[in-house]
Amino acid sequence: VIYPPHSKLSDKEKTNICYLSFPDSNSGCLGDTQFCFRLRRSSGRKVSLCCFLDQLDRDLPVYLKKDPAYYYGYVYFRQVRDKSLKRGYFQKSLVLISKLPYVHLFRTVLKRIAPEYFEKSEAFLEAVCSDVDRWPPPIPGEILHLPIMGIIMKLRIPTYRDKPGTTQIVQNMHQADAQISMALPTVHEVDLFRCFCPVFFHIQMLWELVLLGEPLVVMAPSPSESSETVLALVSCISPLKYCSDFRPYFTIHDSEFKEYTTRTQAPPSVILGVTNPFFAKTLQHWPHIIRIGDIKLPGEVPKQVKVKKLKNLKTLDSKPGVYTSYKPYLNKDEEIIKHLQKGVQQKRPTEAQSVILRRYFLELTESFIIPLERYVASLMPLQKSISPWKSPPQLRQFSQEDFMKTLEKAGPQLTSGLKGDWIGLYRHFLKSPNFDGWFRSRQKEMTQKLEALHLEALCNENLVFWSQKHTEVETVDLVLKLKNKLLQADREHLPVKTDTLKKLQTHIDDIILALPDDLQDILLKTGTT
């Protein structure tokens, strides 16, 4: 059943969703299980260019921007014994499909609605949808109130202006308020410490592997563990965006199965979460494999474990651990391990442990990325080189060698005490999809900034005076160029003040008014082409 009924999914998408909505039979998930998957949208489908959502997307941090090529599926699966059914079990999944990566929000929504849906069936979904129809648009930075089946969820979607690593607390205002409302501490974060617990001693090496976009497989006993671990891995390089594909739960029925498991070429840059024992055989040629047992919160400190050799990974019942021959570039940070171990001994709440771990990853990523940010900012032409009468100047080329030279004086050692082969890590990173994605988005931002500065330079000129000294043909050409500039500013959302745009429009109107009547008519008609 699809609800609302007018939702359009291709046959391929429906098949993929069906297979991804149930745990593999070997997982033996009795009771209720929640997990999530990520699904490639069918090609050839019209990607709806909803300007409104794109506008909201602009204010999000990069790692929360929607990817038009993918859907997320949030699943609530129930399996209970039922003798009245032929198979002896009641097995059903309720799946919420969205373009938004708000894992915690949709997990909370499903927890609220799925148990009732299993008892009340389709009519109940209609009531749920009418609640969802009343939700405000997902505007980043605002406190949103979302009604859902008798309660109101209060939450805030982060914006790119938020200081990384801080979460603005959404609180219930009054005691009475607490009865009907529920404040969500986050819309997208997973329980980082719980997810990394099984591979506790290798967190820094895993951070390097994710940063470099290395092929990674997470082999787990159930989809909830595989999906949470994959999402934790992807988020550990935040505020950098992980730019390759990642599948929190991947099955042998997936339409990309052949593409991702072929041995004729090197494994792709992707993180896969799997539960089927068959993958132990099909993916044993992959360079980095994480095996996790059941995720439980440790009552005791995990034992120190060495990285295991890949050749020891033959079956799915191999011991939990990280199987790889990768040699980390950076020396191990013993402090974070001790800090978290102490937390386990002192029974520190898992939320607090997650905050410590998230801050550690954030500081590591920022120490790594700040020298790159600093170097890329130096590629911007000087403001005095921007002339209103010439095209905006180009950004200078990124030179790997020039960047490497800056590291001696302004490298990660300014903010991180970690020793190791930082240069080697940068060289490897510069070849990765994560660098490519990061650099492209910085390039776009800086090019738009140059366009905006060029517009401002034009506004500060006396354009009417200029037009009086030039021929009508040149003046008409200028008017058309200025109109195109205005259109571009609107279309590309250039970072220009509204006053600047108004000023430019006034310049255009004044120039047109100074022209002969016949030209005025033509130019006023060619308003926005």
Side-chain angles (χ1 to χ4, degrees):
V1 173
I2 296 184
Y3 208 90
H6 61 261
S7 309
K8 297 272 184 290
L9 289 169
S10 69
D11 289 343
K12 187 178 174 183
E13 285 166 344
K14 284 181 193 168
T15 308
N16 273 335
I17 289 169
C18 288
Y19 279 123
L20 288 163
S21 300
F22 287 95
D24 280 314
S25 53
N26 66 295
S27 296
C29 300
L30 267 176
D32 290 2
T33 307
Q34 279 190 267
F35 59 95
C36 112
F37 59 79
R38 193 163 171 263
L39 164 82
R40 199 182 283 177
R41 296 180 66 181
S42 294
S43 53
R45 291 222 10 219
K46 198 171 79 204
V47 176
S48 59
L49 289 169
C50 173
C51 300
F52 182 61
L53 270 180
D54 287 348
Q55 220 169 336
L56 299 180
D57 223 39
R58 279 204 335 261
D59 293 332
L60 288 167
V62 283
Y63 54 89
L64 282 185
K65 290 184 189 294
K66 65 181 193 313
D67 185 332
Y70 289 90
Y71 280 132
Y72 281 84
Y74 301 98
V75 183
Y76 193 107
F77 168 70
R78 174 170 287 183
Q79 175 167 272
V80 286
R81 285 185 187 281
D82 186 339
K83 291 196 175 119
S84 67
L85 296 172
K86 196 173 165 191
R87 299 180 70 168
Y89 282 96
F90 169 94
Q91 290 170 313
K92 211 170 203 177
S93 278
L94 180 62
V95 187
L96 197 151
I97 303 285
S98 173
K99 291 178 198 163
L100 305 172
Y102 302 156
V103 189
H104 187 72
L105 165 62
F106 293 124
R107 189 187 165 87
T108 310
V109 169
L110 278 172
K111 214 176 204 162
R112 186 87 200 144
I113 62 175
E116 273 194 74
Y117 160 70
F118 292 138
E119 280 151 29
K120 297 180 181 168
S121 80
E122 272 72 81
F124 178 70
L125 286 188
E126 204 165 323
V128 170
C129 283
S130 70
D131 267 353
V132 175
D133 284 340
R134 288 162 45 213
W135 288 7
I139 298 171
E142 290 189 6
I143 301 284
L144 304 175
H145 296 80
L146 314 185
I148 191 83
M149 302 325 288
I151 64 155
I152 289 172
M153 295 185 298
K154 291 166 77 168
L155 54 99
R156 180 183 177 277
I157 296 166
T159 81
Y160 72 91
R161 294 179 202 88
D162 294 357
K163 186 170 177 282
T166 57
T167 307
Q168 296 209 9
I169 304 295
V170 181
Q171 284 169 333
N172 285 326
M173 298 313 288
H174 312 288
Q175 202 50 44
D177 191 28
Q179 310 305 309
I180 54 149
S181 81
M182 173 184 189
L184 296 194
T186 170
V187 287
H188 65 286
E189 288 171 354
V190 292
D191 187 340
L192 213 53
F193 181 65
R194 203 173 133 257
C195 296
F196 278 117
C197 228
V199 285
F200 189 81
F201 290 98
H202 311 304
I203 48 177
Q204 197 179 317
M205 177 174 74
L206 294 174
W207 172 84
E208 282 190 24
L209 292 174
V210 175
L211 179 77
L212 300 172
E214 285 287 307
L216 261 171
V217 188
V218 174
M219 294 187 175
S222 81
S224 56
E225 272 125 6
S226 88
S227 62
E228 286 201 357
T229 307
V230 170
L231 292 169
L233 286 165
V234 166
S235 75
C236 79
I237 59 166
S238 171
L240 264 185
K241 182 184 170 74
Y242 179 78
C243 295
S244 298
D245 190 8
F246 60 95
R247 300 302 175 88
Y249 175 49
F250 189 73
T251 75
I252 55 175
H253 306 288
D254 202 289
S255 45
E256 279 84 59
F257 175 73
K258 277 198 177 71
E259 178 190 333
Y260 283 168
T261 54
T262 173
R263 285 175 180 248
T264 54
Q265 58 203 56
S269 169
V270 57
I271 303 179
L272 296 182
V274 303
T275 62
N276 192 320
F278 183 65
F279 280 109
K281 201 177 282 160
T282 19
L283 297 178
Q284 71 192 110
H285 63 295
W286 276 47
H288 322 288
I289 294 170
I290 302 170
R291 280 278 304 114
I292 53 177
D294 292 319
I295 294 185
K296 298 184 188 72
L297 267 178
E300 64 212 56
V301 184
K303 302 283 182 289
Q304 172 71 315
V305 258
K306 284 199 171 72
V307 172
K308 298 176 169 60
K309 300 270 190 305
L310 276 165
K311 62 177 190 320
N312 298 342
L313 184 83
K314 286 288 175 281
T315 62
L316 204 70
D317 50 66
S318 303
K319 286 198 172 71
V322 179
Y323 293 78
T324 178
S325 52
Y326 176 80
K327 295 277 177 288
Y329 286 96
L330 303 181
N331 301 349
K332 197 161 186 173
D333 187 340
E334 300 293 349
E335 284 307 304
I336 182 70
I337 301 288
K338 283 182 196 152
H339 194 20
L340 291 170
Q341 280 179 322
K342 195 173 172 190
V344 174
Q345 286 160 344
Q346 294 173 345
K347 305 213 171 352
R348 192 185 289 144
T350 168
E351 294 82 11
Q353 295 276 73
S354 284
V355 169
I356 292 165
L357 191 50
R358 192 167 276 115
R359 192 181 307 127
Y360 163 74
F361 282 137
L362 174 71
E363 285 169 4
L364 195 51
T365 306
E366 286 190 327
S367 292
F368 181 79
I369 212 72
I370 287 168
L372 272 164
E373 291 276 8
R374 199 181 285 124
Y375 170 71
V376 167
S378 75
L379 303 178
M380 186 86 164
L382 294 171
Q383 196 154 347
K384 64 181 181 197
S385 67
I386 296 169
S387 154
W389 307 112
K390 291 182 190 155
S391 294
Q394 299 286 307
L395 294 174
R396 290 209 310 283
Q397 287 289 316
F398 185 102
S399 150
Q400 183 170 325
E401 289 320 305
D402 287 353
F403 166 63
M404 292 300 176
K405 282 177 200 156
T406 67
L407 293 175
E408 197 179 332
K409 287 200 175 75
Q413 70 277 11
L414 296 181
T415 50
S416 171
L418 265 187
K419 300 279 185 280
D421 181 10
W422 284 95
I423 301 275
L425 187 62
Y426 280 114
R427 283 195 194 282
H428 194 152
F429 177 71
L430 294 180
K431 297 189 198 106
S432 75
N434 288 333
F435 168 71
D436 191 48
W438 172 81
F439 183 60
R440 260 195 264 199
S441 91
R442 299 296 289 121
Q443 233 176 351
K444 186 180 169 191
E445 274 170 40
M446 288 159 75
T447 308
Q448 288 187 334
K449 179 78 180 142
L450 284 171
E451 289 286 356
L453 289 169
H454 186 242
L455 263 180
E456 278 167 28
L458 272 167
C459 278
N460 296 331
E461 289 292 311
N462 186 340
L463 299 177
V464 177
F465 180 68
W466 181 93
S467 66
Q468 285 160 358
K469 301 180 107 182
H470 288 76
T471 65
E472 282 177 6
V473 172
E474 287 170 313
T475 304
V476 168
D477 189 46
L478 175 70
V479 168
L480 294 174
K481 275 186 179 151
L482 292 176
K483 285 189 171 195
N484 272 335
K485 282 270 178 203
L486 277 179
L487 279 173
Q488 180 195 9
D490 183 51
R491 187 177 61 244
E492 295 177 16
H493 308 296
L494 295 183
V496 190
K497 296 187 191 85
T498 323
D499 290 356
T500 307
L501 298 177
K502 281 183 186 155
K503 208 167 158 189
L504 196 58
Q505 187 60 59
T506 311
H507 279 322
I508 294 172
D509 297 342
D510 292 347
I511 297 169
I512 293 176
L513 283 173
L515 288 166
D517 290 355
D518 56 339
L519 275 177
Q520 279 191 39
D521 287 348
I522 293 168
L523 286 172
L524 288 167
K525 277 176 191 152
T526 55
T528 51
T529 47

